[in-house]
Structures are given as C-alpha cells and as structure tokens.
Amino acid sequence: PQGRVFLLGDNRGNSADSRFRLRTTPGGTAPVAQVLGVALPQEETLRVGVLYGWLIIVGVLALPASAVLGVVWLLLRRRRAAVQG
C-alpha cells in the first residue's frame, strides 16, 4: 500500500523481514517513516568506500602538514619581530 514498503533481508533464509511479519501487520509491510536507510548497489558501496579511503588519507596527511605550517608561521613571526625590534 501507499506509504508502506515490503522489506527483504540479506539473509533471506534466516531473516525477520516482511515475510516474517505477514501475519502481524498488513501485508507484512512497514511504514516508510520507519525506514532508516537503503541498500546501495555493490558498485556504489565500492565508490563510497574509495571516497572514505581518500578522505582518511587526506586527513592523515593534513595533520602533519598543518603542524609544519604552524611551526613555519611561528618562525616567520619571530624573525619579523626581530627585524622590526
């Protein structure tokens, strides 16, 4: 029915999906408002995994880079203060 979905689990032989609820709810369906997420095709999950991998690499490299830039900024600030003062 409109506003409801029929859900199938990944492990269909041992899953408490909509087929399991056929006797307790209308047609075994669940309200759309209770759906927390959707399954992605395998190609999409691979793309998302690669994206997260790149974000982790960038984050790991950004930390030492920001530390080096902070030290350089402090050295330049001290040198500028010594020249002016």
Side-chain angles (χ1 to χ4, degrees):
Q2 188 170 0
R4 300 185 70 81
V5 290
F6 190 85
L7 305 169
L8 292 175
D10 287 346
N11 185 3
R12 295 199 181 141
N14 187 23
S15 180
D17 56 15
S18 289
R19 295 171 301 149
F20 180 74
R21 293 179 166 72
L22 282 172
R23 294 183 186 143
T24 59
T25 59
T29 60
V32 172
Q34 289 184 351
V35 175
L36 301 178
V38 296
L40 296 174
Q42 190 169 3
E43 303 83 38
E44 288 297 316
T45 56
L46 180 61
R47 267 190 236 153
V48 169
V50 169
L51 174 65
Y52 283 143
W54 278 108
L55 288 175
I56 289 170
I57 290 170
V58 168
V60 166
L61 294 177
L63 185 61
S66 62
V68 169
L69 289 174
V71 169
V72 169
W73 180 77
L74 285 173
L75 291 174
L76 289 175
R77 193 171 115 186
R78 284 185 185 173
R79 186 175 291 174
R80 193 176 300 153
V83 169
Q84 291 176 354

